[in-house]
C-alpha cells in the first residue's frame, strides 16, 4: 500500500517533483561525466604521466566538491518538498498512519526519485561525455579515436553515490517528520508568521549587514597576505554579511519604500509587500544562493581566465618559441618570425658540445631571473646569452635544449647531461637544432602543431616536450585544460543546483500567492498587469543573489592576482555562460509560476 | 424612476456534466438593483446564489442572458475594460475577507486606488477617511494576521469602499463572524448604504444579516421564489417576517 501511495503522489505532484528530478538528473550526469573521465583508460593511456596524474586528481577533487554540494542541494530540495506535502502527510497521519509509516513513505519517495534520476542522469551523462569529450581533448590537446562514453566503473560509482546520498537524506527527512505532530502538519499552510516590527533593531542589523559585507569585499584583495586563515575569515564574514544584508538591510529598504510616494503606483506596493513578506522566509536560501552564485561564476571565470592566458604565460617563461632537430622542418607556415637560427651540436660522454663561436653569432635569446626578489610574478629580463659568462653553458635556455636532444623526460629518471661551449666541436656525429621565435604564439598554433608532428615523426620522441614556449603551452594545456574543463562543468552544476533550489522555493509559495493574485484580479487588475507582476515578483528573488554574487566575484577575483596575470580575463566568458543559464532558469520559473498562480 | 444600477435579464447558467448530462443552476432569472438599494439574496446552499453573485459581479459568464451595471453591458467587455470597470465601479466583500496578508492594513485598503494611479497623497487621505468611518484607524500599520476576524472584515469593507464604487457586492460577509461581530459589520454596511448612497448586493443564508437589507429575494433551485420589502418596518419586525417566510419555505 505504501508503495502505491508513494508512486501515486509522485505522479500527481509530478510538476513539483520534476524540478527536483531535473536538478538531480543534471547533477548525476555531470558526476558521471567526471567519473568517466577520471576512470577512462583510453584517455589516461594517451596522456603523459604528469598530465595523467593531474587530470585524475583534478576530476576526483571536482567529484568530491560536487558530492558535497549535491548533498546540501538534495537536502534543501527535499525540505521544500516536505513543506509542499505537509498537509498530505497530516491527512494520512490523521487517518491513522503511524509516524513510522509516514517516514517510510517519505523514504520510498526519496529513493524512487534517486533511482529514476540516477538512470536518467547516466543516460544524459553519456551524451554529455560524448559531446564534452571532443571539447576536453581540444582543451588538453590530445587526440583519441576510441573515446568511450560508457564506463561501467563510472556508472557504478555514480549509482552507489547517489543512492547513498538519497538514503541519508531520507533518514534526515524521516527524523524531521517524526518531530512534527499531526496538527502542525495539517495546519502547515495556514500559519502566517508575522514578526513584530522592531525598527531600531532592524536599522542596527541592516547597517551592520552592509558594513560586514563591505568589509568582506574590502578584505578580498588582501586575503593572500593572510593565506588560508584569511580566506576562511573572509568567507565567514561574507556569509554573515550576506545573511544580514538579505534579511535586514533589504528589509530596511522595503520598509522605506512602503513610505515612499513613487513606490505606491499600480502594483508596486504589492510587489514591495511581497518582498518584505518573503525576506524573513527566504533569507537563508537567498544567502546560500548568493554565495553559490559567486562560487560558480568565480570557478568558471578563473578556469577560463587561466585558459585564455596560457599562451601569454608560456611566452613569459621561454625565450624562444620552438627548437627542433628535424633538418627538414618547414617554418614557411609561421607568421611574423622574429628569430630563426641553427645551432650545431655533438653528443659525447654524456656531454652536449656546442660551437661557442656559432652560439655567439646566433645571439641565442635567454631569460634572466632576478632571484633577489621573492615575487613569483616578477617577469624575467629578456637578454642574449653571454657566451663568455662562466655559467653560460648551464644557462636555462641551453639546458632546455640539452635535455630535449638527450631525451630527458621529467616523468622518467632525470639524469641531465652536461653542456659545454667549445671552440671546436669534438669528432663524432654532428647534428643541429633549428631555433625559431614568432611574435604571436596563439596565432601560430596550428602551424606549430604541424611542425611538432613532423618533429615527432622524425625523432620518434613523444614523451619529451619540445623546448620553447610552444612546448610549454602544450604542457600547460595538459595540466590546466582539465582544470578549465572541470571549472566550467562544476560551475554549471553549482548553478543548476542553486537555480533549481530558488525555483523550488519560489514554487512552494504558489498556493498562498495564488489567492493574492486572485484578489488583485477581483479588485480590478488587468491580466496583462498581473502577468507582468508575476515576472517582477519572481524577478526580484532571482535578482538579489545575482547582484550579490556578481559583487562577490568582482572583488573575489582579486584573490587570484598573485597566481594569475589577469584574473579578470575570464570574467566576460564566465558571465555570459552563467547569466545565460541563470536567465533560462528565471524564465522557466516565471513561466511555471505564472501558470500556477494565474490559472483559472 | 431612475435607471437601475444593476439589471440582469433572463440569466441562465448550465453546467455540463459529462457528454449528455447537464444541470441548470440558474433558470431564466431576472432582477434589478435600484440606486441606493440594499438588496439581499437569500437561499439554502445549492440554490445557486453564489453562482448568481459570481455572474453579477463579472467573475463568471452565464450560459445565456444579459447583465448591465451602471448602464454598461458587462458581459461583452474585453479584459482591460472589465478590470477597469471592477476597479472603478465595483467593490467586493468576501466571506473569508480575502485580504493580502503580505500588505499592511493601510496598503490593503489603498490598493484599488493605487491601481487607478491616484496620487499617493490623495490615497492616504482617502484611506484615513474610510478607516475612520469603519473605526479601524488605529489598525492601519498592522498586518491582517494580527487582526481578529471582525477587524479583518472591516478592513475588507474599507477596501471595497475606498474608491467609492457604484455598487458593493457582498458574498456572505458575516459568514465567518460571531453574532456580535456580524451585527457590527451589518450596521457598518447599512451606514455605508445610507450615508454614502452606495448600492449593496449581498448573498447570505443568515436571516439576521439579511434583516439589515431594504429588500430580500429568495432563491430556490435557481429561481426566485419570493420577495420581501422592508419599507418602514423596524429591523426587528423585518427579521421576524424573514424567519416566518423561511418557515413557510421549509414546509
Amino acid at each position: 500500500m505504501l508503495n502505491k501511495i508513494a508512486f501515486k503522489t509522485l505522479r500527481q505532484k509530478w510538476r513539483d517533483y520534476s524540478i527536483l528530478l531535473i536538478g538531480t538528473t543534471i547533477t548525476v550526469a555531470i558526476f558521471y561525466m567526471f567519473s568517466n573521465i577520471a576512470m577512462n583508460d583510453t584517455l589516461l593511456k594517451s596522456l603523459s604521466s604528469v598530465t595523467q596524474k593531474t587530470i585524475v586528481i583534478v576530476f576526483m577533487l571536482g567529484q568530491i566538491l560536487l558530492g558535497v554540494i549535491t548533498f546540501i542541494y538534495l537536502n534543501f530540495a527535499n525540505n521544500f518538498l516536505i513543506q509542499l506535502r505537509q498537509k498530505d502527510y497530516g491527512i494520512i497521519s490523521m487517518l491513522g498512519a503511524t509516524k513510522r509509516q509516514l517516514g517510510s513513505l517519505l523514504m520510498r519517495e526519496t529513493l524512487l526519485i534517486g533511482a529514476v534520476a540516477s538512470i536518467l542522469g547516466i543516460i544524459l551523462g553519456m551524451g554529455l561525455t560524448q559531446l564534452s569529450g571532443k571539447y576536453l581533448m581540444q582543451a588538453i590537446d590530445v587526440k583519441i579515436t576510441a573515446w568511450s562514453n560508457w564506463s561501467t566503473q563510472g556508472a557504478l560509482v555514480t549509482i552507489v553515490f547517489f543512492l547513498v546520498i538519497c538514503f541519508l537524506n531520507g533518514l534526515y527527512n524521516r527524523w524531521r517528520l517524526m518531530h512534527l505532530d499531526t496538527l502542525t502538519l495539517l495546519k502547515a499552510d495556514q500559519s502566517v508568521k508575522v514578526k513584530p516590527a522592531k525598527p531600531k533593531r532592524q536599522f542596527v542589523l541592516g547597517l551592520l549587514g552592509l558594513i560586514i559585507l563591505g568589509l568582506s569585499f574590502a578584505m578580498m584583495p588582501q586575503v593572500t597576505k593572510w593565506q588560508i586563515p584569511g580566506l576562511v575569515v573572509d568567507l565567514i564574514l561574507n556569509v554573515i554579511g550576506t545573511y544580514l544584508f538579505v534579511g535586514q538591510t533589504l528589509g530596511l529598504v522595503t520598509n522605506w519604500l512602503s513610505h515612499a510616494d513613487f513606490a505606491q503606483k499600480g502594483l508596486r506596493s504589492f510587489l514591495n509587500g511581497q518582498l518584505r513578506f518573503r525576506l524573513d522566509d527566504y533569507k537563508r536560501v537567498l544567502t546560500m544562493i548568493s554565495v553559490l552564485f559567486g562560487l560558480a561564476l568565480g570557478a568558471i571565470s578563473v578556469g577560463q581566465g587561466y585558459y585564455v592566458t596560457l599562451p601569454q604565460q608560456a611566452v613569459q617563461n621561454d625565450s624562444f618559441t620552438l627548437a627542433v632537430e628535424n633538418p627538414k622542418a618547414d617554418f614557411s607556415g609561421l607568421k611574423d618570425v622574429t628569430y630563426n637560427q641553427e645551432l650545431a651540436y655533438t653528443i659525447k660522454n654524456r656531454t652536449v658540445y656546442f660551437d661557442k663561436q656559432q652560439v655567439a653569432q646566433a645571439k641565442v635569446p635567454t631569460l634572466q631571473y632576478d632571484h633577489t626578489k621573492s615575487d613569483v610574478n616578477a617577469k624575467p629580463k629578456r637578454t642574449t646569452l653571454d657566451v663568455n659568462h662562466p655559467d653560460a653553458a648551464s644557462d636555462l635556455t641551453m639546458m632546455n635544449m640539452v635535455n630535449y636532444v638527450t631525451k630527458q623526460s621529467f616523468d622518467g629518471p632525470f639524469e641531465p647531461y652536461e653542456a659545454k661551449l667549445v671552440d671546436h666541436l669534438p669528432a663524432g656525429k654532428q647534428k643541429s637544432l633549428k631555433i625559431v621565435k614568432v611574435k604571436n604564439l596563439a596565432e601560430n598554433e596550428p602551424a606549430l602543431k604541424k611542425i611538432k608532428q613532423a618533429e615527432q615523426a622524425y625523432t620518434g620522441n613523444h614523451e619529451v616536450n619540445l623546448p620553447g614556449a610552444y612546448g610549454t603551452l602544450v604542457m600547460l594545456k595538459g595540466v590546466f585544460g582539465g582544470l578549465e574543463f572541470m571549472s566550467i562543468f562544476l560551475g554549471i552544476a553549482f548553478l543548476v543546483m542553486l537555480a533549481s533550489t530558488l525555483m523550488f522555493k519560489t514554487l512552494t509559495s504558489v498556493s498562498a500567492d495564488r489567492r493574492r493574485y486572485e484578489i488583485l484580479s477581483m479588485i480590478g487588475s488587468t491580466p496583462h498587469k498581473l502577468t507582468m507582476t508575476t515576472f517582477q515578483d519572481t524577478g526580484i528573488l532571482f535578482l538579489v543573489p545575482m547582484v550579490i554574487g556578481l559583487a562577490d566575484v568582482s572583488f573575489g577575483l582579486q584573490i587570484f592576482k598573485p597566481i594569475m596575470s589577469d584574473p579578470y580575463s575570464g570574467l566576460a566568458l564566465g558571465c555570459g555562460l552563467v547569466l545565460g543559464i541563470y536567465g533560462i532558469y528565471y524564465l522557466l520559473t516565471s513561466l511555471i509560476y505564472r501558470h500556477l498562480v494565474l490559472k483559472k | 424612476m431612475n435607471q437601475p444600477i444593476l439589471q440582469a435579464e433572463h440569466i441562465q447558467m448550465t453546467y455540463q456534466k459529462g457528454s449528455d448530462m447537464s444541470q441548470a443552476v440558474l433558470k431564466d432569472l431576472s432582477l434589478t438593483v435600484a440606486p441606493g438599494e440594499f438588496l439581499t439574496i437569500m437561499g439554502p446552499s445549492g440554490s445557486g446564489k453564489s453562482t448568481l453573485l459570481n455572474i453579477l459581479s463579472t467573475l463568471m459568464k452565464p450560459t445565456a442572458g444579459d447583465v448591465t451595471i451602471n448602464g454598461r453591458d458587462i458581459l461583452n467587455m474585453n479584459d482591460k475594460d472589465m478590470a477597469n470597470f471592477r476597479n472603478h465601479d465595483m467593490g467586493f466583500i468576501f466571506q473569508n475577507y480575502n485580504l493580502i496578508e503580505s500588505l499592511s492594513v493601510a496598503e490593503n485598503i489603498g490598493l484599488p486606488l493605487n491601481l487607478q494611479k491616484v496620487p499617493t497623497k490623495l490615497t492616504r487621505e482617502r484611506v484615513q477617511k474610510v478607516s475612520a468611518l469603519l473605526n479601524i484607524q488605529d489598525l492601519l500599520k498592522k498586518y491582517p494576521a494580527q487582526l481578529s476576524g471582525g477587524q479583518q472584515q472591516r478592513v475588507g469593507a474599507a477596501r471595497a469602499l475606498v474608491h467609492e464604487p457604484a455598487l458593493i457586492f457582498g458574498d456572505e460577509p458575516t459568514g465567518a463572524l460571531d453574532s456580535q461581530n456580524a451585527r457590527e459589520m451589518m450596521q457598518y454596511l447599512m451606514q455605508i448604504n445610507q450615508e454614502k448612497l452606495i448600492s449593496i448586493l449581498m448573498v447570505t443564508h443568515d436571516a439576521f444579516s439579511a434583516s439589515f437589507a431594504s429588500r430580500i429575494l429568495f432563491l430556490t433551485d435557481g429561481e426566485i421564489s419570493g420577495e420581501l420589502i422592508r419599507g418602514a418596518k423596524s429591523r426587528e419586525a423585518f427579521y421576524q417576517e424573514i424567519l416566518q417566510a423561511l418557515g413557510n419555505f421549509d414546509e
Side-chain angles (χ1 to χ4, degrees):
Chain A
M1 189 59 204
L2 279 180
N3 275 333
K4 208 171 156 189
I5 295 181
F7 193 69
K8 276 207 159 164
T9 10
L10 285 194
R11 260 190 17 196
Q12 273 166 9
K13 303 239 166 184
W14 69 269
R15 202 197 309 273
D16 302 325
Y17 281 94
S18 64
I19 304 159
L20 175 64
L21 197 65
I22 292 170
T24 320
T25 302
I26 292 176
T27 321
V28 172
I30 293 178
F31 191 89
Y32 169 75
M33 182 177 74
F34 284 180
S35 311
N36 189 340
I37 292 168
M39 297 170 183
N40 197 312
D41 283 336
T42 355
L43 172 70
L44 297 183
K45 270 180 200 148
S46 69
L47 296 171
S48 65
S49 57
V50 176
T51 321
Q52 211 179 82
K53 275 177 210 143
T54 3
I55 284 257
V56 172
I57 292 172
V58 158
F59 281 93
M60 296 255 244
L61 261 173
Q63 269 183 321
I64 294 171
L65 214 56
L66 195 62
V68 172
I69 298 292
T70 311
F71 185 79
I72 298 172
Y73 160 68
L74 279 177
N75 202 299
F76 255 101
N78 269 318
N79 245 326
F80 297 146
L81 281 183
I82 296 185
Q83 270 176 32
L84 279 176
R85 301 282 318 279
Q86 275 189 6
K87 203 165 182 182
D88 293 355
Y89 290 135
I91 292 169
I92 298 175
S93 146
M94 203 176 63
L95 294 176
T98 61
K99 279 282 158 65
R100 202 177 183 76
Q101 280 171 314
L102 274 188
S104 161
L105 184 67
L106 192 61
M107 177 66 101
R108 276 166 222 227
E109 284 173 16
T110 316
L111 282 180
L112 195 60
I113 289 267
V116 175
S118 295
I119 294 165
L120 289 180
I122 286 174
I123 296 171
L124 182 71
M126 282 167 68
L128 207 58
T129 315
Q130 188 71 39
L131 285 176
S132 60
K134 287 189 192 116
Y135 178 66
L136 174 67
M137 283 184 272
Q138 205 188 351
I140 59 178
D141 209 8
V142 290
K143 206 161 186 75
I144 308 160
T145 39
W147 175 259
S148 163
N149 58 16
W150 175 252
S151 150
T152 315
Q153 214 183 340
L156 276 178
V157 168
T158 310
I159 289 176
V160 169
F161 176 78
F162 276 89
L163 285 184
V164 166
I165 278 197
C166 282
F167 180 73
L168 288 178
N169 254 305
L171 276 186
Y172 174 75
N173 286 337
R174 200 165 74 173
W175 175 80
R176 256 178 59 100
L177 201 64
M178 300 275 187
H179 287 77
L180 295 171
D181 62 89
T182 310
L183 206 60
T184 320
L185 287 174
L186 269 175
K187 293 198 168 161
D189 56 348
Q190 288 168 23
S191 57
V192 177
K193 286 164 270 171
V194 172
K195 275 201 173 170
K198 288 182 189 161
K200 267 187 198 154
R201 184 168 169 267
Q202 192 176 40
F203 183 77
V204 172
L205 287 178
L207 205 64
L208 201 66
L210 209 59
I211 292 170
I212 294 179
L213 193 61
L215 195 68
S216 85
F217 287 154
M219 252 181 84
M220 279 173 187
Q222 321 294 329
V223 149
T224 37
K225 280 187 206 154
W226 301 302
Q227 307 278 333
I228 300 288
L231 197 68
V232 172
V233 169
D234 201 5
L235 194 67
I236 292 172
L237 278 183
N238 188 270
V239 172
I240 296 175
T242 310
Y243 184 73
L244 286 176
F245 182 83
V246 173
Q248 309 288 341
T249 316
L250 285 182
L252 271 184
V253 173
T254 55
N255 272 342
W256 173 74
L257 277 178
S258 67
H259 296 298
D261 283 359
F262 73 92
Q264 308 299 323
K265 284 267 158 65
L267 288 176
R268 283 183 203 163
S269 66
F270 172 74
L271 278 173
N272 190 38
Q274 285 280 85
L275 182 62
R276 193 169 4 134
F277 198 66
R278 283 174 174 173
L279 278 177
D280 197 50
D281 196 21
Y282 275 63
K283 61 187 174 196
R284 230 172 302 150
V285 175
L286 288 185
T287 303
M288 186 199 79
I289 288 171
S290 304
V291 175
L292 275 186
F293 188 99
L295 286 178
L297 182 56
I300 294 178
S301 298
V302 169
Q304 284 291 342
Y306 254 113
Y307 199 68
V308 295
T309 55
L310 284 186
Q312 203 185 326
Q313 286 182 40
V315 169
Q316 227 177 68
N317 293 311
D318 281 282
S319 53
F320 56 86
T321 306
L322 186 79
V324 286
E325 291 179 63
N326 181 4
K328 287 183 191 138
D330 177 17
F331 293 162
S332 62
L334 296 176
K335 274 176 249 165
D336 295 330
V337 177
T338 55
Y339 180 89
N340 189 355
Q341 291 288 340
E342 200 167 334
L343 292 182
Y345 66 89
T346 305
I347 304 174
K348 212 170 186 181
N349 301 329
R350 297 194 61 84
T351 308
V352 182
Y353 294 93
F354 290 94
D355 184 335
K356 194 171 177 180
Q357 212 59 35
Q358 197 187 21
V359 174
Q361 262 169 19
K363 292 187 176 153
V364 175
T366 188
L367 300 175
Q368 211 169 32
Y369 287 92
D370 185 353
H371 294 289
T372 54
K373 284 185 192 160
S374 58
D375 185 2
V376 279
N377 262 353
K379 287 181 183 161
K381 215 169 101 189
R382 293 185 179 274
T383 59
T384 308
L385 183 67
D386 176 11
V387 288
N388 295 318
H389 194 276
D391 294 331
S394 55
D395 172 83
L396 200 75
T397 307
M398 294 308 283
M399 282 316 290
N400 267 344
M401 293 190 276
V402 167
N403 287 335
Y404 175 66
V405 297
T406 56
K407 297 187 171 59
Q408 292 298 319
S409 163
F410 287 105
D411 294 355
F414 187 61
E415 294 154 344
Y417 284 40
E418 217 181 315
K420 272 182 185 158
L421 299 177
V422 290
D423 290 330
H424 300 286
L425 290 181
K429 194 182 171 194
Q430 196 175 319
K431 290 196 206 166
S432 70
L433 260 176
K434 284 177 151 188
I435 309 169
V436 74
K437 188 177 168 190
V438 296
K439 212 169 166 184
N440 187 328
L441 178 62
E443 202 178 88
N444 278 300
E445 255 194 272
L448 288 165
K449 192 167 185 177
K450 272 188 202 150
I451 298 170
K452 176 186 146 197
Q453 281 161 353
E455 170 75 359
Q456 285 180 336
Y458 173 78
T459 58
N461 180 359
H462 291 268
E463 274 298 297
V464 186
N465 265 322
L466 296 189
Y470 180 65
T472 312
L473 177 64
V474 171
M475 184 196 74
L476 287 176
K477 275 195 171 183
V479 177
F480 292 110
L483 200 64
E484 184 250 359
F485 178 84
M486 196 197 58
S487 77
I488 286 190
F489 281 94
L490 214 54
I492 291 176
F494 271 43
L495 204 61
V496 164
M497 283 186 275
L498 72 89
S500 34
T501 308
L502 195 50
M503 192 167 178
F504 260 122
K505 186 69 187 165
T506 312
L507 295 181
T508 45
S509 63
V510 156
S511 58
D513 289 343
R514 235 192 102 127
R515 268 198 46 221
R516 293 174 200 159
Y517 278 94
E518 262 172 22
I519 299 168
L520 287 182
S521 166
M522 284 184 213
I523 61 174
S525 291
T526 56
H528 172 74
K529 222 184 223 167
L530 288 180
T531 304
M532 295 311 291
T533 308
T534 55
F535 278 98
Q536 289 162 357
D537 203 355
T538 39
I540 298 170
L541 295 178
F542 274 76
L543 190 70
V544 170
M546 189 184 87
V547 171
I548 300 177
L550 280 175
D552 281 347
V553 172
S554 313
F555 291 97
L557 283 177
Q558 293 278 342
I559 297 171
F560 294 90
K561 219 157 192 178
I563 49 171
M564 283 171 81
S565 54
D566 179 12
Y568 292 89
S569 52
L571 188 59
L573 266 166
C575 274
L577 188 71
V578 167
L579 294 184
I581 297 178
Y582 197 66
I584 290 172
Y585 259 94
Y586 161 62
L587 221 72
L588 213 65
T589 310
S590 304
L591 288 174
I592 298 177
Y593 181 76
R594 189 197 64 178
H595 178 76
L596 292 179
V597 163
L598 296 184
K599 79 175 167 201
K600 292 261 150 73
Chain B
M1 192 185 151
N2 286 339
Q3 189 196 1
I5 200 95
L6 179 147
Q7 184 156 26
E9 288 176 320
H10 310 295
I11 302 289
Q12 288 179 32
M13 188 68 189
T14 313
Y15 286 110
Q16 284 294 318
K17 278 186 165 183
S19 53
D20 46 24
M21 289 248 292
S22 65
Q23 191 190 4
V25 180
L26 298 174
K27 305 163 186 164
D28 195 37
L29 191 147
S30 300
L31 65 89
T32 56
V33 180
E37 191 177 22
F38 189 159
L39 176 68
T40 291
I41 297 170
M42 282 195 78
S45 34
S47 61
K49 59 182 192 303
S50 291
T51 308
L52 179 63
L53 190 78
N54 282 338
I55 290 171
L56 297 180
S57 59
T58 72
L59 298 177
M60 202 184 256
K61 293 213 163 168
T63 322
D66 291 306
V67 182
T68 322
I69 297 179
N70 230 1
R72 295 192 58 185
D73 173 9
I74 61 157
L75 297 182
N76 292 304
M77 266 191 219
N78 65 27
D79 284 343
K80 206 180 161 187
D81 286 344
M82 182 88 86
N84 214 1
F85 185 70
R86 281 182 198 155
N87 193 205
H88 282 91
D89 297 9
M90 295 157 68
F92 291 91
I93 304 174
F94 304 90
Q95 176 175 8
N96 53 0
Y97 327 129
N98 271 354
L99 300 176
I100 295 178
E101 66 269 44
S102 54
L103 297 180
S104 70
V105 167
E107 286 167 328
N108 260 295
I109 299 175
L111 206 52
L113 296 179
N114 290 339
L115 287 171
Q116 286 178 15
K117 303 208 166 68
V118 171
T120 314
K121 214 180 144 199
L122 191 58
T123 302
R124 291 215 178 99
E125 281 170 17
R126 283 168 69 174
V127 168
Q128 278 296 338
K129 238 168 104 184
V130 76
S131 39
L133 179 71
L134 287 155
N135 201 17
I136 45 174
Q137 60 271 60
D138 298 336
L139 309 176
L140 288 179
K141 282 189 176 162
K142 295 204 167 180
Y143 283 83
Q146 296 167 306
L147 306 181
S148 72
Q151 288 171 327
Q152 289 195 54
Q153 194 58 298
R154 274 186 275 158
V155 175
R159 190 181 62 189
L161 187 65
V162 71
H163 53 299
E164 307 206 327
L167 180 60
I168 291 178
F169 290 100
D171 183 2
E172 304 263 12
T174 56
L177 302 180
D178 60 51
S179 59
Q180 180 53 35
N181 275 309
R183 177 190 291 272
E184 269 178 27
M185 188 67 227
M186 289 316 299
Q187 270 161 355
Y188 280 121
L189 281 183
M190 208 165 71
Q191 194 186 344
I192 291 166
N193 175 246
Q194 287 168 0
E195 285 178 15
K196 300 259 171 192
L197 296 177
I198 294 174
S199 308
I200 297 177
L201 178 79
M202 173 180 105
V203 302
T204 185
H205 64 268
D206 174 32
F208 176 73
S209 298
S211 68
F212 287 81
S214 53
R215 182 161 67 108
I216 296 172
L217 289 175
F218 293 94
L219 197 65
T220 321
D221 294 332
E223 286 172 305
I224 291 174
S225 56
E227 186 180 23
L228 285 179
I229 295 171
R230 179 161 162 193
K233 286 178 261 247
S234 72
R235 197 195 57 75
E236 284 75 17
F238 196 41
Y239 179 47
Q240 290 307 321
E241 198 177 340
I242 299 166
L243 288 179
Q244 214 160 37
L246 286 175
N248 293 341
F249 282 124
D250 283 345
E251 282 163 18

